[in-house]
């Protein structure tokens, strides 16, 4: 009886050790790759809550901007392109499902508000997540 209890104890300790090891691996080592995986719903939801900056042409017209909207009782932002098909190859697009291209991708750091001291201020709850505007030399 004593021998079987010892074996059971050792198997439970090994099982918990393996469980703790795998959880630590997923939460510390593999966390970055899991977050960047395409189709991650957490990242998509986080991006929908960001007030991305506007893309403005040289004559002051908005080529892209974020519009606040409510979806299922949650305050989120939707990206709109007021000029429609004007210079879509340059402006690109930014959607949580498809990612981003063009200026939306090249200046994503500024448009999403991840520049300068902004990330630190948001962590300290001193500023809301709001992106900077990008001004282009394209004239409509």
């Amino acid at each position: 009886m004593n021998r079987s209890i010892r074996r059971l104890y050792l198997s439970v300790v090994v099982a918990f050790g393996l469980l703790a090891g795998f959880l630590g691996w997923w939460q510390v080592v593999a966390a970055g790759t899991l977050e960047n995986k395409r189709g991650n719903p957490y990242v998509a939801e986080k991006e929908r809550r960001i007030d991305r900056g506007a893309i403005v042409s040289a004559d002051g017209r908005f080529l892209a901007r974020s519009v606040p909207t409510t979806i299922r009782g949650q305050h989120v932002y939707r990206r709109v392109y007021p000029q429609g098909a004007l210079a879509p190859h340059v402006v690109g697009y930014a959607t949580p499902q498809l990612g981003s291209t063009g200026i939306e991708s090249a200046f994503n750091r500024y448009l999403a508000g991840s520049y300068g001291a902004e990330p630190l201020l948001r962590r300290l709850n001193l500023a809301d997540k709001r992106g900077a505007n990008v001004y282009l030399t394209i004239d409509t």
Side-chain angles (χ1 to χ4, degrees):
M1 183 80 168
N2 217 2
R3 186 177 208 181
S4 62
I5 291 176
R6 187 177 308 127
R7 285 183 183 167
L8 177 65
Y9 171 76
L10 287 176
S11 63
V12 168
V13 167
V14 168
F16 274 115
L18 286 172
L19 179 65
F22 280 120
L23 285 176
W25 170 264
W26 283 110
Q27 292 178 355
V28 176
V29 178
T33 58
L34 290 174
E35 184 179 17
N36 294 331
K37 265 187 144 176
R38 186 179 176 124
N40 185 349
Y42 176 73
V43 174
E45 184 64 28
K46 194 167 66 170
E47 287 178 2
R48 288 173 52 185
R49 294 174 188 245
I50 298 172
D51 184 9
R52 290 177 64 89
I55 298 176
V56 185
S57 67
D59 57 346
R61 291 190 179 188
F62 288 106
L63 299 175
R65 63 187 178 101
S66 293
V67 176
T69 185
T70 304
I71 298 177
R72 287 182 246 121
Q74 294 181 352
H75 182 71
V76 295
Y77 292 93
R78 186 172 53 93
R79 200 71 171 156
V80 296
Y81 301 92
Q83 301 302 321
L86 181 66
H89 55 288
V90 175
V91 175
Y93 57 83
T95 64
Q97 297 83 13
L98 300 175
S100 59
T101 62
I103 296 293
E104 294 274 11
S105 176
F107 290 94
N108 184 49
R109 184 172 164 211
Y110 298 102
L111 291 168
S114 298
Y115 61 94
E118 291 295 318
L120 177 63
L121 293 175
R122 278 192 308 282
R123 284 187 182 180
L124 297 174
N125 290 329
L126 298 175
D128 294 330
K129 185 139 186 177
R130 185 159 189 228
N133 294 341
V134 173
Y135 295 92
L136 304 179
T137 57
I138 296 174
D139 192 352
T140 58

